[in-house]
Amino acid sequence: MDTIQWFPGHMAKAMRKMEEALPMVDGVILILDARCPNACINDKLVKMFSFKPVLYVLNKADLADPVGLKRVTESFVKDKKQVVCIDAKSKKDISGLYGKIFELLKEKVERNKAKGYFKPVRIMVAGIPNTGKSTIINALVGGKKAQVGDKAGVTRSNQWVKLNELELLDTPGTMPPSFEDQVKAKHLAYVGCINDAIMDLSDLCLELIAELTLLYPDRLKERYRLTDLDKTPIEIYEDICQKRGFLIKGGDFDYERCATAVIDDLRSGKLGRVIFE
Ligand code: G4P
């Protein structure tokens, strides 16, 4: 597979804007995809946030393998990170997140109370594209203020969403400045955090099949009615094409259509709940 390299200029600009806005906020919630949370972390951003309380939100927990997710969450706790796992589409989880935000800023809120004045808590919402920032903001404010469903990498500018006691600063998605770790880059691509248009989906699908053969062989077998995984990834890929009828005129395999179907199955949870870390 070709090296994944992607850092559009507008993202460098987005990071600068975030840095400028940081003095205005009391804390940060960093939204990560629960299926590859560490791959979603941009070290430069974390360094930038080091003087603010940060809550790591492992979102899309409904799509993540619960055993692996527990293990990853414990590693965050061990690293003294504040962490919460949520499904942004669950009301219960959103109210839990709301509580966690105030817990994160408890000292600040109490200090303000002691001084006798009311001030809303200001939070920056950060994270790479498609991790669920807009969905979370909409759920927290209980309306459709932020636009959902942006293409990975399509930037918006910083914007405030205000509630009574909470003000959220929505920031555009930012990517790691370089993909030194191509394994992490691949995981981000699987879950849809990298714009599909810049990748060869057939190559990505081949990588995904190889990884699923090791991590979740039974799911792969069950979903595509495969009997034998003791083959090379390309042979398994072709078996899936065959089983699904992804063929073109002349009987050749339609690798592209098959890639789209397999990647969609993964992203939508049809291959079950997964974790790549
Ligand atoms: P972003 O602002 O960080 O770019 O992400 P956004 O909220 O646009 O969410 C990206 C996609 O992920 C959306 O799906 C959204 O519905 C979905 N999503 C967000 N949080 C969760 C979650 O906790 N669980 C699951 N299963 N999905 C989640 P979409 O198909 O792009 O849009 P839509 O058709 O749902 O509107």
Side-chain angles (χ1 to χ4, degrees):
M1 189 170 153
D2 291 340
T3 307
I4 302 175
Q5 263 306 343
W6 192 47
F7 190 58
H10 64 252
M11 291 211 174
K13 198 170 148 205
M15 279 185 74
R16 261 199 320 274
K17 283 201 150 200
M18 283 167 88
E19 193 163 17
E20 280 164 24
L22 212 51
M24 287 189 270
V25 300
D26 303 311
V28 178
I29 59 174
L30 187 55
I31 318 295
L32 313 174
D33 189 307
R35 294 166 293 179
C36 52
N38 284 294
C40 298
I41 295 179
N42 175 331
D43 291 333
K44 277 198 174 165
L45 268 191
V46 171
K47 205 166 164 211
M48 192 164 108
F49 296 154
S50 56
F51 296 103
K52 298 281 174 184
V54 179
L55 176 63
Y56 291 82
V57 180
L58 275 51
N59 188 38
K60 306 199 185 186
D62 55 311
L63 297 173
D65 177 344
V67 178
L69 187 56
K70 185 166 176 278
R71 184 176 18 89
V72 173
T73 310
E74 283 167 359
S75 74
F76 274 65
V77 173
K78 211 169 142 215
D79 289 344
K80 306 223 172 339
K81 291 186 170 109
Q82 299 286 326
V83 60
V84 62
C85 297
I86 67 161
D87 160 10
K89 298 187 174 185
S90 146
K91 276 200 175 137
K92 191 172 127 269
D93 287 5
I94 289 296
S95 74
L97 173 62
Y98 197 84
K100 276 272 184 186
I101 292 173
F102 282 89
E103 208 179 296
L104 182 78
L105 300 170
K106 205 167 136 205
E107 278 178 25
K108 170 111 192 168
V109 173
E110 280 175 0
R111 253 199 329 267
N112 281 348
K113 248 193 208 160
K115 285 183 201 155
Y117 60 74
F118 169 80
K119 218 173 147 207
V121 160
R122 295 183 131 192
I123 289 283
M124 178 183 283
V125 185
I128 60 173
N130 241 3
T131 46
K133 293 179 299 297
S134 310
T135 309
I136 290 171
I137 292 172
N138 284 335
L140 282 170
V141 304
K144 282 262 169 196
K145 292 245 171 62
Q147 195 191 337
V148 185
D150 282 353
K151 276 219 161 52
V154 176
T155 191
R156 305 175 299 255
S157 54
N158 290 348
Q159 61 182 55
W160 285 100
V161 180
K162 297 187 181 188
L163 283 165
N164 269 346
E165 67 275 30
L166 182 65
E167 296 185 354
L168 298 167
L169 182 63
D170 186 10
T171 63
T174 47
M175 290 301 293
S178 73
F179 288 116
E180 275 151 28
D181 186 337
Q182 281 289 306
V183 175
K184 285 184 179 173
K186 219 165 51 181
H187 295 162
L188 291 176
Y190 296 160
V191 302
C193 288
I194 298 180
N195 193 338
D196 286 340
I198 68 147
M199 285 175 300
D200 181 324
L201 289 189
S202 303
D203 283 352
L204 189 66
C205 180
L206 193 60
E207 296 280 336
L208 175 61
I209 289 170
E211 202 151 347
L212 289 176
T213 308
L214 296 175
L215 294 176
Y216 300 102
D218 294 341
R219 311 264 190 85
L220 206 53
K221 275 187 180 169
E222 195 185 325
R223 176 80 191 152
Y224 304 113
R225 301 208 177 89
L226 305 172
T227 45
D228 182 13
L229 291 187
D230 200 10
K231 298 181 174 188
T232 62
I234 186 72
E235 285 169 333
I236 299 172
Y237 194 165
E238 291 175 349
D239 282 352
I240 299 173
C241 286
Q242 190 78 51
K243 292 270 180 186
R244 280 298 170 99
F246 292 131
L247 303 168
I248 45 179
K249 268 190 198 147
D252 209 354
F253 301 113
D254 190 342
Y255 294 104
E256 253 175 58
R257 252 179 78 211
C258 185
T260 306
V262 173
I263 292 166
D264 273 357
D265 282 351
L266 176 89
R267 291 180 185 168
S268 62
K270 290 198 184 89
L271 275 161
R273 299 170 70 175
V274 296
I275 196 155
F276 292 105
E277 292 172 0

